[in-house]
Amino acid sequence: MKHAVVVTGIGLISPLGNQPEVVFDSLMQGQSGVRLLSSEQSNGVATAAGVVDFSPEPWFTRLQLSGVDRVSQMGVAAADLALKDAGLAGEALMDAGIYIGCGMGGASAIETAYTSHFSAKPRVSPLSVVASMTNAPAAHIAMRFGIGGRVMTYSIACASSSVAIGEGYRAIASGETDIVIAGGCEALLVPCVIRAWQAMQTLAMPSAEQPETACRPFSLDRSGLVLGEGAAMLILEREDHALARGVKIYARVSGFGMSCDATHITRPEPTGQTRALHTALRNADLRPADIGYCNAHGTATQVGDPAECAALREVWGKDADNLLVSSTKSMHGHLLGAAGALEAAVTVLAVHHKQLPPTAHCNDPDPVCNIPLVRSTGIASPHVKAAISNSFAFGGTNAVLVFTAA
């Protein structure tokens, strides 16, 4: 028996704020959380990013912060906000599960350790390992909220947290557990990581006058991706369990599909993406025509955007003109391991409110990206009943989540 799975809580620490409704309203208005990094962070090269205004004090004492990297701090905060939103704060959760996506772990801890190692007087903190390990956020969430079920971490580049949500959904659908915290976190805006991305020559070239417009997915003048940081957590729950508690239900998680391109470490392959899309729709028992909205992976790279559009055109066929598409990365940046979770939360809110956020800054769409785009500001969509969120990663892993109206 496959149990129905619903979203009952959302917790966000994002470049657009920490309250889901405020974040969604900002997205609907086309507002951007992208800004220029400091010269120290960006190695003196003009670089835009989605930066979070975050203080850990509400969740950690100064003593507790020892050995807890920024990525774990934001993960715990987002999980706490999600549990409160779901009416589960203070509840016994020993049998619940945690499914977290994180691409790079404690980047700040690693940077600090290596900086000290190569200094005149090297001294590396004995907590460097536990602060930097990729599963640290999930472990801290488990310890903070007393969660004793499966505590899993997925590190699959840009697909990490979409896979985490998908696997959390599967765990509930199969009857393994009633509740999971599923999502992702990433905090990699440190000089060495930024320098590595600069060396790849994939980052957008921001305008000094309007750095907030640096990320322009599907636009003819797009110049590359914009990195971001943050955390997003969803509370997934067996539907009858949520109904018995009498809590708000945002949407159903109805399907999940994965594939691997198995062709190139960085260049996306449309045929691999189509397999993930087909699998997700089949898992949800839906047809392409049933889907009214796609929150695209849409990174604003020259190769990635056309590949995704080609995959959508292939799967949707004659129904492609009725599929409305946007990339909210244009406003919050690419959170890498946390990207899928933030975009899943946005997609859930889109289905819940029957409103579709836009692709901002796409004033002149690239004809090669031949799909119906929501642009500039969001639109009402009273008939939308189902939506998908795409995450297509370096390494070739593709993940697609399907959400439907509760």
Side-chain angles (χ1 to χ4, degrees):
M1 177 182 176
K2 181 180 176 181
H3 298 283
V5 181
V6 295
V7 179
T8 57
I10 300 174
L12 303 179
I13 303 293
S14 87
L16 287 161
N18 304 341
Q19 298 175 323
E21 298 300 335
V22 172
V23 171
F24 189 72
D25 186 58
S26 296
L27 292 170
M28 288 295 294
Q29 295 177 47
Q31 296 179 3
S32 176
V34 171
R35 62 177 174 82
L36 285 177
L37 290 175
S38 69
S39 180
E40 180 183 0
Q41 280 179 295
S42 65
N43 310 297
V45 178
T47 305
V51 183
V52 169
D53 181 12
F54 174 73
S55 174
E57 278 75 18
W59 291 278
F60 294 89
T61 66
R62 183 171 295 182
L63 181 62
Q64 288 173 327
L65 282 172
S66 179
V68 183
D69 190 88
R70 180 175 174 86
V71 70
S72 294
Q73 296 167 22
M74 292 195 292
V76 167
D80 180 52
L81 293 171
L83 288 168
K84 287 175 178 173
D85 189 38
L88 290 168
E91 295 294 317
L93 296 170
M94 182 56 69
D95 295 327
I98 299 174
Y99 292 76
I100 301 298
C102 185
M104 298 197 69
S108 294
I110 294 172
E111 177 112 348
T112 299
Y114 275 103
T115 300
S116 178
H117 173 69
F118 289 109
S119 68
K121 296 181 178 181
R123 182 191 177 279
V124 176
S125 167
L127 297 176
S128 296
V129 170
V130 295
S132 63
M133 61 190 193
T134 312
N135 68 318
H140 280 289
I141 293 168
M143 291 185 291
R144 176 63 63 98
F145 303 109
I147 295 173
R150 287 195 175 186
V151 177
M152 306 293 289
T153 298
Y154 300 84
S155 188
I156 315 170
C158 321
S160 299
S161 52
S162 287
V163 173
I165 293 169
E167 293 298 335
Y169 151 73
R170 283 177 172 171
I172 297 174
S174 67
E176 184 179 300
T177 187
D178 297 333
I179 297 171
V180 305
I181 300 173
C185 45
E186 201 77 91
L188 46 67
L189 300 180
V190 295
C192 187
V193 175
I194 297 296
R195 191 182 293 277
W197 280 93
Q198 290 167 340
M200 284 190 73
Q201 299 183 343
T202 57
L203 297 184
M205 295 175 286
S207 157
E209 294 77 24
Q210 293 181 302
E212 68 276 7
T213 68
C215 186
R216 299 185 293 276
F218 310 119
S219 181
L220 195 60
D221 66 349
R222 65 190 183 278
S223 62
L225 62 86
V226 167
L227 296 174
E229 64 173 356
M233 301 293 167
L234 304 181
I235 304 302
L236 307 186
E237 193 167 349
R238 205 179 71 232
E239 186 174 45
D240 59 344
H241 189 275
L243 292 172
R245 293 199 304 120
V247 295
K248 170 181 58 185
I249 292 175
Y250 285 102
R252 280 194 178 123
V253 189
S254 295
F256 173 52
M258 282 185 67
S259 71
C260 184
D261 293 346
T263 55
H264 195 279
I265 198 73
T266 59
R267 185 181 299 115
E269 172 55 55
T271 57
Q273 297 175 9
T274 61
R275 290 198 302 275
L277 289 160
H278 279 305
T279 302
L281 291 170
R282 213 166 35 241
N283 185 240
D285 196 22
L286 294 173
R287 302 165 301 148
D290 297 323
I291 307 297
Y293 171 64
C294 169
N295 192 331
H297 186 58
T299 57
T301 61
Q302 289 297 322
V303 176
D305 288 5
E308 182 170 14
C309 294
L312 291 171
R313 278 277 173 192
E314 173 66 24
V315 176
W316 264 255
K318 61 181 177 60
D319 297 309
D321 290 337
N322 298 319
L323 176 69
L324 292 172
V325 179
S326 68
S327 172
T328 55
K329 284 185 179 73
S330 57
M331 295 169 281
H332 52 65
H334 190 347
L335 275 63
L336 298 187
L342 177 55
E343 290 155 28
V346 171
T347 308
V348 166
L349 290 167
V351 171
H352 181 65
H353 291 297
K354 298 190 180 300
Q355 297 178 330
L356 310 182
T359 301
H361 327 309
C362 183
N363 298 320
D364 190 8
D366 188 341
V368 176
C369 301
N370 183 24
I371 50 173
L373 291 171
V374 182
R375 293 195 288 145
S376 301
T377 57
I379 61 171
S381 182
H383 302 298
V384 68
K385 295 180 180 178
I388 61 170
S389 182
N390 291 344
S391 296
F392 303 142
F394 276 6
T397 295
N398 307 301
V400 178
L401 293 163
V402 182
F403 299 100
T404 57

